[in-house]
Amino acid sequence: MPTAEALLRPLFALPRECELDEAAEVARRVAQDVKDFVEGDARALSAEACALFTAELHRRMYELVSVSALPSERYAALVLLDELIDVEIEEGTTQATRFANLVRTTLWHTERAALTDADRAVLAHAARALGHIARSGGAFSGADFVDFEARHALDQLRDARSEQGALSAVLVVAELARQAPTLFHAHVQPVLHLVGLALCDERPPVRHVAALALRACLQLLQPRDADWQARWCVQLLGEARAALARGGTPSVHGGLLILLELAKYASVDFRLGALDELCALGLSVRAHREPHACGALLLLLPRLAALAPDRFSARHLDGAVRHALGLLAEPASRAHHAAAFVCLAGIAREVREPFGAYVPETVRHLREALLLLAQHAPAARGAGGPSAVSYTHLRAHETDS
């Protein structure tokens, strides 16, 4: 009969250079082995033997989460935990308590000075598992659980100095709002009060995840509190206006992220009523060339065109298209060329005939990009050729989801 150590051994044997996706697959196979054991052979064990098994299981998972320096091992342990949340390994609230403590250890108690992309992925999966615990129900993970986790995240958001603290806070807020919306509803107002801080954080990953938290809150309010959402959208638009006026990369990017979320997730009446101001605010910072801010504006313009194509064509089309074409004319902005092509394609799809006046110049830039790509020069890969456009298009859709 296998021991917990034997079942989890593949997670401790992961290669040092193991990719996170590969680690996740190993963890899912281990989770299935644990499920099979719990639902089969474990039924024949005595209460004492079961207690020893579960204690060893949690001890080994804790080692992976808190002791391991390898993101792949920590990520695999969290995938395993997430897979086992709905499996009754032990009775009562003990299992949920242990799992929640493991997740909290990852989010708050294992501070890492400089985060890598892999470290951020670990934090994201930890927050997702916390949301899963909240969603799973049961005596442990009800309103009190969500209330505690939400309040703790908001406290961290107010005072976070490290990237890990700020990132964990907005990740937890986003996942609780997404996975336990009814229980989280009471915390939407304080989140909206504070999210502006994270949206203008000095660190781009914090700003991006803060936008996801804002999105989750706006989506939560949509079917429930139309009047309340409208009032908050007015306030958020004011915050975006102020952020863009302050200037500086974090504020400009944060302001554009607010506009992006309002343009997609505010009520239809609000979006149509604010269309002209949304367009004017976005185009007011079109001279900004910092990659995150420039990319956010290129995502925003097609989204605004989709709201009211005729009005957009009459009032804002020329400014929007000229901005994208201007980027394509700047060799120094080559990193933005792929996104500029996607932006132009999105606008053209929405406004149709009025875009015809810009087709010759767009085609000229496209030919130049394809010529660079055909030359197989390293610079061509960033010049907006088909492969670059396809990749950016996928990223744009990922942002829209």
Side-chain angles (χ1 to χ4, degrees):
M1 188 170 294
T3 62
E5 181 178 0
L7 288 170
L8 268 61
R9 190 170 295 139
L11 300 185
F12 287 88
L14 292 172
R16 178 166 287 273
E17 279 73 35
C18 182
E19 297 291 336
L20 297 188
D21 287 345
E22 296 173 16
E25 283 304 310
V26 174
R28 291 187 184 97
R29 290 197 295 270
V30 170
Q32 188 58 55
D33 290 341
V34 174
K35 291 177 189 177
D36 291 343
F37 175 74
V38 168
E39 294 167 1
D41 293 346
R43 296 179 186 277
L45 295 177
S46 65
E48 181 181 2
C50 281
L52 289 173
F53 173 83
T54 54
E56 177 68 7
L57 179 70
H58 288 293
R59 186 182 70 81
R60 301 294 284 175
M61 290 174 66
Y62 180 83
E63 288 178 13
L64 288 168
V65 166
S66 63
V67 178
S68 175
L70 298 179
S72 57
E73 290 186 350
R74 287 182 277 124
Y75 190 80
L78 289 163
V79 172
L80 173 64
L81 182 153
D82 199 19
E83 293 285 325
L84 295 178
I85 287 171
D86 297 317
V87 179
E88 188 176 342
I89 299 175
E90 52 191 327
E91 295 180 355
T93 62
T94 305
Q95 176 179 315
T97 302
R98 286 177 169 176
F99 281 178
N101 286 336
L102 281 173
V103 171
R104 291 171 187 142
T105 296
T106 303
L107 291 167
W108 312 115
H109 304 309
T110 311
E111 192 78 17
R112 299 179 188 277
L115 297 183
T116 65
D117 286 344
D119 290 326
R120 297 184 189 101
V122 169
L123 294 176
H125 207 93
R128 193 174 305 129
L130 196 72
H132 187 177
I133 294 170
R135 187 183 79 238
S136 65
F140 175 78
S141 53
D144 289 343
F145 175 80
V146 172
D147 185 67
F148 175 83
E149 299 300 338
R151 289 179 185 277
H152 183 69
L154 290 170
D155 288 342
Q156 292 294 318
L157 190 56
R158 288 186 188 95
D159 303 321
R161 292 181 176 87
S162 68
E163 179 184 347
Q164 179 168 337
L167 193 61
S168 293
V170 287
L171 282 165
V172 168
V173 165
E175 288 297 335
L176 291 177
R178 187 176 68 85
Q179 297 198 56
T182 301
L183 298 175
F184 186 77
H185 185 270
H187 300 280
V188 169
Q189 186 169 344
V191 168
L192 292 176
H193 272 302
L194 288 171
V195 74
L197 295 173
L199 282 161
C200 294
D201 192 276
E202 292 288 336
R203 296 151 295 208
V206 176
R207 298 198 296 269
H208 282 290
V209 178
L212 298 180
L214 173 59
R215 177 184 307 177
C217 289
L218 290 174
Q219 288 178 307
L220 191 158
L221 291 177
Q222 269 182 346
R224 301 162 186 255
D225 304 285
D227 292 340
W228 193 21
Q229 196 213 48
R231 289 196 296 272
W232 272 108
C233 287
V234 170
Q235 181 169 326
L236 288 165
L237 183 58
E239 290 186 19
R241 191 185 304 118
L244 295 173
R246 284 196 301 271
T249 292
S251 293
V252 169
H253 184 217
L256 288 170
L257 288 173
I258 294 174
L259 298 184
L260 270 165
E261 300 308 319
L262 290 176
K264 182 71 179 284
Y265 298 103
S267 68
V268 173
D269 289 344
F270 176 86
R271 286 182 281 166
L272 292 176
L275 175 62
D276 290 333
E277 184 170 9
L278 292 170
C279 292
L281 286 172
L283 290 171
S284 72
V285 292
R286 59 182 175 269
H288 215 78
R289 291 296 184 266
E290 190 276 332
H292 296 285
C294 191
L297 179 55
L298 291 170
L299 283 172
L300 175 65
L301 294 174
R303 190 172 291 184
L304 295 174
L307 292 177
D310 291 341
R311 184 159 32 128
F312 183 90
S313 297
R315 302 179 185 180
H316 309 289
L317 178 62
D318 190 66
V321 174
R322 289 297 170 199
H323 169 62
L325 291 173
L327 289 173
L328 292 173
E330 298 175 4
S333 298
R334 186 161 288 155
H336 303 304
H337 285 191
F341 277 123
V342 173
C343 174
L344 291 169
I347 293 173
R349 182 175 61 247
E350 299 300 338
V351 305
R352 298 183 179 274
E353 287 80 4
F355 190 84
Y358 307 98
V359 167
E361 190 173 354
T362 302
V363 170
R364 177 172 62 80
H365 286 297
L366 184 58
R367 284 173 176 164
E368 292 172 358
L370 290 170
L371 181 60
L372 275 175
L373 189 65
Q375 293 171 352
H376 300 290
R381 299 192 185 343
S387 60
V389 171
S390 299
Y391 174 74
T392 307
H393 188 64
L394 289 171
R395 293 293 295 172
H397 279 285
E398 178 181 309
T399 306
D400 283 346
S401 63

